[in-house]
Amino acid sequence: MNISDEKVGAVKSIDQALAGQISGLSTVSTSGAPGAPTKIRIRGTASINGTQEPLWVLDGIPLEGTEIPEMEDLKDIDNIYQTSIAGINPSDIESITVLKDAAATAIYGARAANGVIVITTKKGSKDRQKFRVNIQQGLSDLSWGNLEMMNAQQLYDYQSAFNSSSWFTPDLLKHDTDWMDLATQTGLYTNASVSYQGGNEKVDSYLLLDYYRETGAVKEMNYNRYTIRNNNDYKIHEKFKAFTKLQGQYVHTKDQTASLYDSYLYLPWDYPYNEDGTVRTGKEQDWYGRDKNNYLERQYKNFSAYENFYVSATAGFVWTLLDGLTFESNNNVNYKIARDESYVDPNTIGGQAKSGTISNTNAITANYFTNQMLRYKTNINGKHDIQALVAYEYSRRFYEVTSATAKGIISGKEVISGTTGMDAMSGTKQAFNIQSVLSNVNYSFDGRYILQASYRLDGSSKFGKDNQYGSFFIPSPVRGTSIGKSLCSLFPIF
């Protein structure tokens, strides 16, 4: 199934472009937070304990997944700091192809057990020089369904039948606070980008500068993303073409959201601010709510923030050795630094037990990938179409995560060195390698009868010395044309 750039460019994320477009593919939002990725499942749930994420292939480079749990959740370290496909600008995409059946995904090996999503980014064009400025804006509101809270008068009339407390007097009606309204707003997202597509007889170029900002429907939740991408194709000789692809991205989020749960429970008779404009704590004598706290105090004092810087560089070439025979090389390195911080003020309810806490988590991820491929294509007598490839792949992944939480801080201090001691520390450092040899043959007779065969040998350093390699062989006779063209044409094209 293919999705064109016209369909992709009309949404604010790739996740949305896939939603509802393909049978057998389901999308589930992980949260309503700005920038939050969407869980994507192809052909339903395939594993109880293992990953259920499809394999993403971006311009021929396999990505290891998109599930990004909380940074301090070290038990899920295998999925932390994966390159999130949700961070790619939809305007950057030329096409998306989803591979679901076993024959179509066999060439990608065991990693394709949950399906494959192939993404191709835009390239330059020598046909014409094209500049494009694109600005998108949209609104979001929190859906309350049929929930409607009582106002001050309605709650007073209701409790008049049974409440005999001394404080239950008409003076309560002096205030009528809509706590749900104080916690929420109309969210706004803005996506602004400037792109250039052009080229000449020797070089085709594509350049994109992109900025994305989203404020949540819950107040004080912000997401900012800055992206730059440059794709170049070089025609060095009639038989030798090279390419480079560069991407840089910076993401920053800050969360000081109020508690929606508390907004359901607070009484309209309580009011959030004193006459001088300061925030009430909830400990005042005339505070009638059960929990004796004001979430706005926590909102102004507590926060969590996350930022990451990601850079990716790809280089390769296509060399025509003989008529119909090419040698293709695709090589990538990417590096990511991520940092997460959370602060709980000692003067808030959540910080009283430990006199305030501050947590810092830092991570480094480095990925290396290379693919060297021989590809052959020929047609005999206009009837017999033969496509074949054989390739070698190697990838290495390294990541290191450290996390520390300190307690006993002075109000307003935001560094661990300003605390009285450590509360918790954790970390991990891991690396693993994968190497593969793969081949595929595709024979078609008269465009009607097709025979495919795929073989792949995968080796992973995650397994023991005697069990590091596994092979996959799938023959597939098919009648028709569309499926038969899928493998050789969709396997990493540069």
Side-chain angles (χ1 to χ4, degrees), residues 233-382:
D233 294 284
Y234 308 93
K235 186 177 181 181
I236 299 174
H237 187 270
E238 287 294 331
K239 295 187 176 182
F240 192 88
K241 299 177 182 179
F243 61 88
T244 59
K245 300 177 187 292
L246 303 175
Q247 179 190 356
Q249 185 176 91
Y250 174 75
V251 173
H252 180 267
T253 67
K254 190 166 186 179
D255 182 359
Q256 288 184 268
T257 54
S259 168
L260 289 180
Y261 176 74
D262 285 342
S263 70
Y264 302 148
L265 301 181
Y266 284 9
L267 302 179
W269 305 322
D270 293 322
Y271 53 100
Y273 303 102
N274 295 311
E275 292 183 358
D276 60 0
T278 58
V279 179
R280 307 183 79 204
T281 65
K283 301 297 188 295
E284 293 81 2
Q285 186 176 1
D286 60 344
W287 188 278
Y288 305 103
R290 180 194 66 182
D291 297 326
K292 295 295 182 179
N293 70 89
N294 183 356
Y295 66 63
L296 291 178
E297 183 192 32
R298 304 195 303 274
Q299 179 179 1
Y300 290 126
K301 294 180 179 179
N302 300 344
F303 70 87
S304 64
Y306 170 80
E307 62 180 351
N308 74 64
F309 176 74
Y310 172 77
V311 61
S312 174
T314 301
F317 60 85
V318 178
W319 183 11
T320 301
L321 302 174
L322 299 169
D323 186 25
L325 178 65
T326 60
F327 176 68
E328 303 173 7
S329 177
N330 193 14
N331 311 279
N332 172 266
V333 57
N334 60 73
Y335 189 79
K336 186 174 184 179
I337 301 175
R339 179 175 182 270
D340 180 72
E341 179 183 12
S342 65
Y343 174 86
V344 181
D345 193 274
N347 296 318
T348 60
I349 287 182
Q352 289 177 357
K354 297 181 179 180
S355 299
T357 60
I358 183 168
S359 300
N360 288 332
T361 303
N362 296 279
I364 297 175
T365 302
N367 295 298
Y368 311 93
F369 173 83
T370 184
N371 176 284
Q372 312 301 318
M373 181 190 301
L374 277 173
R375 190 191 298 267
Y376 180 71
K377 181 178 180 180
T378 188
N379 184 277
I380 302 174
N381 298 328

